[in-house]
PDB file of all heavy atoms in Angstrom:
ATOM      1  N   VAL A  60       2.580  17.910 -26.790  1.00 87.00           N
ATOM      2  CA  VAL A  60       2.841  16.778 -25.886  1.00 87.00           C
ATOM      3  C   VAL A  60       1.701  15.858 -26.055  1.00 87.00           C
ATOM      4  O   VAL A  60       0.454  16.256 -26.237  1.00 87.00           O
ATOM      5  CB  VAL A  60       2.994  17.300 -24.393  1.00 87.00           C
ATOM      6  CG1 VAL A  60       3.179  16.049 -23.526  1.00 87.00           C
ATOM      7  CG2 VAL A  60       4.034  18.258 -24.211  1.00 87.00           C
ATOM      8  N   THR A  61       1.952  14.555 -26.321  1.00 88.00           N
ATOM      9  CA  THR A  61       0.968  13.580 -26.470  1.00 88.00           C
ATOM     10  C   THR A  61       0.434  13.029 -25.162  1.00 88.00           C
ATOM     11  O   THR A  61       1.143  13.198 -24.127  1.00 88.00           O
ATOM     12  CB  THR A  61       1.547  12.357 -27.307  1.00 88.00           C
ATOM     13  OG1 THR A  61       2.641  11.824 -26.481  1.00 88.00           O
ATOM     14  CG2 THR A  61       2.163  12.867 -28.473  1.00 88.00           C
ATOM     15  N   PRO A  62      -0.728  12.467 -25.181  1.00 84.00           N
ATOM     16  CA  PRO A  62      -1.277  11.966 -23.698  1.00 84.00           C
ATOM     17  C   PRO A  62      -0.298  10.974 -23.105  1.00 84.00           C
ATOM     18  O   PRO A  62      -0.256  10.857 -21.962  1.00 84.00           O
ATOM     19  CB  PRO A  62      -2.457  11.396 -24.112  1.00 84.00           C
ATOM     20  CG  PRO A  62      -3.006  12.181 -25.383  1.00 84.00           C
ATOM     21  CD  PRO A  62      -1.628  12.368 -26.113  1.00 84.00           C
ATOM     22  N   SER A  63       0.255  10.126 -23.984  1.00 86.00           N
ATOM     23  CA  SER A  63       1.234   9.043 -23.401  1.00 86.00           C
ATOM     24  C   SER A  63       2.373   9.620 -22.716  1.00 86.00           C
ATOM     25  O   SER A  63       2.887   9.249 -21.580  1.00 86.00           O
ATOM     26  CB  SER A  63       1.539   8.056 -24.453  1.00 86.00           C
ATOM     27  OG  SER A  63       2.225   8.712 -25.519  1.00 86.00           O
ATOM     28  N   GLU A  64       2.995  10.756 -23.458  1.00 89.00           N
ATOM     29  CA  GLU A  64       4.071  11.431 -22.830  1.00 89.00           C
ATOM     30  C   GLU A  64       3.757  12.200 -21.522  1.00 89.00           C
ATOM     31  O   GLU A  64       4.511  12.168 -20.582  1.00 89.00           O
ATOM     32  CB  GLU A  64       4.708  12.359 -23.913  1.00 89.00           C
ATOM     33  CG  GLU A  64       5.311  11.807 -25.076  1.00 89.00           C
ATOM     34  CD  GLU A  64       5.708  12.826 -26.148  1.00 89.00           C
ATOM     35  OE1 GLU A  64       5.150  13.825 -26.154  1.00 89.00           O
ATOM     36  OE2 GLU A  64       6.426  12.368 -27.111  1.00 89.00           O
ATOM     37  N   PHE A  65       2.558  12.785 -21.586  1.00 86.00           N
ATOM     38  CA  PHE A  65       2.080  13.511 -20.431  1.00 86.00           C
ATOM     39  C   PHE A  65       1.926  12.587 -19.202  1.00 86.00           C
ATOM     40  O   PHE A  65       2.274  12.785 -18.101  1.00 86.00           O
ATOM     41  CB  PHE A  65       0.832  14.184 -20.754  1.00 86.00           C
ATOM     42  CG  PHE A  65       0.162  14.863 -19.536  1.00 86.00           C
ATOM     43  CD1 PHE A  65       0.596  16.177 -19.188  1.00 86.00           C
ATOM     44  CD2 PHE A  65      -0.924  14.302 -18.883  1.00 86.00           C
ATOM     45  CE1 PHE A  65      -0.003  16.870 -18.164  1.00 86.00           C
ATOM     46  CE2 PHE A  65      -1.489  15.040 -17.938  1.00 86.00           C
ATOM     47  CZ  PHE A  65      -1.097  16.334 -17.566  1.00 86.00           C
ATOM     48  N   SER A  66       1.277  11.411 -19.432  1.00 84.00           N
ATOM     49  CA  SER A  66       1.036  10.403 -18.459  1.00 84.00           C
ATOM     50  C   SER A  66       2.396   9.900 -17.900  1.00 84.00           C
ATOM     51  O   SER A  66       2.560   9.691 -16.645  1.00 84.00           O
ATOM     52  CB  SER A  66       0.166   9.266 -18.824  1.00 84.00           C
ATOM     53  OG  SER A  66      -1.080   9.723 -19.342  1.00 84.00           O
ATOM     54  N   LEU A  67       3.249   9.513 -18.779  1.00 88.00           N
ATOM     55  CA  LEU A  67       4.582   9.009 -18.403  1.00 88.00           C
ATOM     56  C   LEU A  67       5.506  10.051 -17.549  1.00 88.00           C
ATOM     57  O   LEU A  67       6.008   9.582 -16.570  1.00 88.00           O
ATOM     58  CB  LEU A  67       5.440   8.687 -19.639  1.00 88.00           C
ATOM     59  CG  LEU A  67       6.830   7.970 -19.424  1.00 88.00           C
ATOM     60  CD1 LEU A  67       6.642   6.773 -18.605  1.00 88.00           C
ATOM     61  CD2 LEU A  67       7.570   7.658 -20.684  1.00 88.00           C
ATOM     62  N   ALA A  68       5.357  11.350 -17.904  1.00 89.00           N
ATOM     63  CA  ALA A  68       6.003  12.319 -17.137  1.00 89.00           C
ATOM     64  C   ALA A  68       5.582  12.402 -15.768  1.00 89.00           C
ATOM     65  O   ALA A  68       6.236  12.394 -14.790  1.00 89.00           O
ATOM     66  CB  ALA A  68       5.930  13.588 -17.922  1.00 89.00           C
ATOM     67  N   HIS A  69       4.264  12.434 -15.624  1.00 86.00           N
ATOM     68  CA  HIS A  69       3.679  12.452 -14.217  1.00 86.00           C
ATOM     69  C   HIS A  69       3.926  11.162 -13.408  1.00 86.00           C
ATOM     70  O   HIS A  69       4.204  11.246 -12.213  1.00 86.00           O
ATOM     71  CB  HIS A  69       2.082  12.700 -14.254  1.00 86.00           C
ATOM     72  CG  HIS A  69       1.800  14.172 -14.509  1.00 86.00           C
ATOM     73  ND1 HIS A  69       2.273  15.175 -13.655  1.00 86.00           N
ATOM     74  CD2 HIS A  69       1.066  14.802 -15.580  1.00 86.00           C
ATOM     75  CE1 HIS A  69       1.711  16.294 -14.183  1.00 86.00           C
ATOM     76  NE2 HIS A  69       1.090  16.082 -15.167  1.00 86.00           N
ATOM     77  N   PHE A  70       3.909   9.961 -14.134  1.00 87.00           N
ATOM     78  CA  PHE A  70       4.217   8.807 -13.422  1.00 87.00           C
ATOM     79  C   PHE A  70       5.656   8.758 -12.917  1.00 87.00           C
ATOM     80  O   PHE A  70       5.895   8.322 -11.815  1.00 87.00           O
ATOM     81  CB  PHE A  70       3.924   7.670 -14.373  1.00 87.00           C
ATOM     82  CG  PHE A  70       4.204   6.277 -13.775  1.00 87.00           C
ATOM     83  CD1 PHE A  70       3.252   5.786 -12.871  1.00 87.00           C
ATOM     84  CD2 PHE A  70       5.350   5.630 -14.168  1.00 87.00           C
ATOM     85  CE1 PHE A  70       3.582   4.475 -12.371  1.00 87.00           C
ATOM     86  CE2 PHE A  70       5.622   4.391 -13.531  1.00 87.00           C
ATOM     87  CZ  PHE A  70       4.790   3.855 -12.631  1.00 87.00           C
ATOM     88  N   LEU A  71       6.650   9.297 -13.689  1.00 90.00           N
ATOM     89  CA  LEU A  71       8.007   9.274 -13.290  1.00 90.00           C
ATOM     90  C   LEU A  71       8.305  10.195 -12.240  1.00 90.00           C
ATOM     91  O   LEU A  71       9.024   9.917 -11.165  1.00 90.00           O
ATOM     92  CB  LEU A  71       8.934   9.643 -14.575  1.00 90.00           C
ATOM     93  CG  LEU A  71       8.976   8.569 -15.614  1.00 90.00           C
ATOM     94  CD1 LEU A  71       9.930   9.026 -16.770  1.00 90.00           C
ATOM     95  CD2 LEU A  71       9.501   7.216 -15.091  1.00 90.00           C
ATOM     96  N   VAL A  72       7.581  11.403 -12.186  1.00 90.00           N
ATOM     97  CA  VAL A  72       7.671  12.309 -11.070  1.00 90.00           C
ATOM     98  C   VAL A  72       7.097  11.767  -9.792  1.00 90.00           C
ATOM     99  O   VAL A  72       7.735  11.859  -8.637  1.00 90.00           O
ATOM    100  CB  VAL A  72       6.996  13.660 -11.454  1.00 90.00           C
ATOM    101  CG1 VAL A  72       7.043  14.536 -10.206  1.00 90.00           C
ATOM    102  CG2 VAL A  72       7.721  14.363 -12.587  1.00 90.00           C
TER     103      VAL A  72
END
Side-chain angles (χ1 to χ4, degrees):
V60 178
T61 62
S63 59
E64 293 171 344
F65 178 78
S66 301
L67 181 61
H69 279 301
F70 180 78
L71 292 178
V72 171

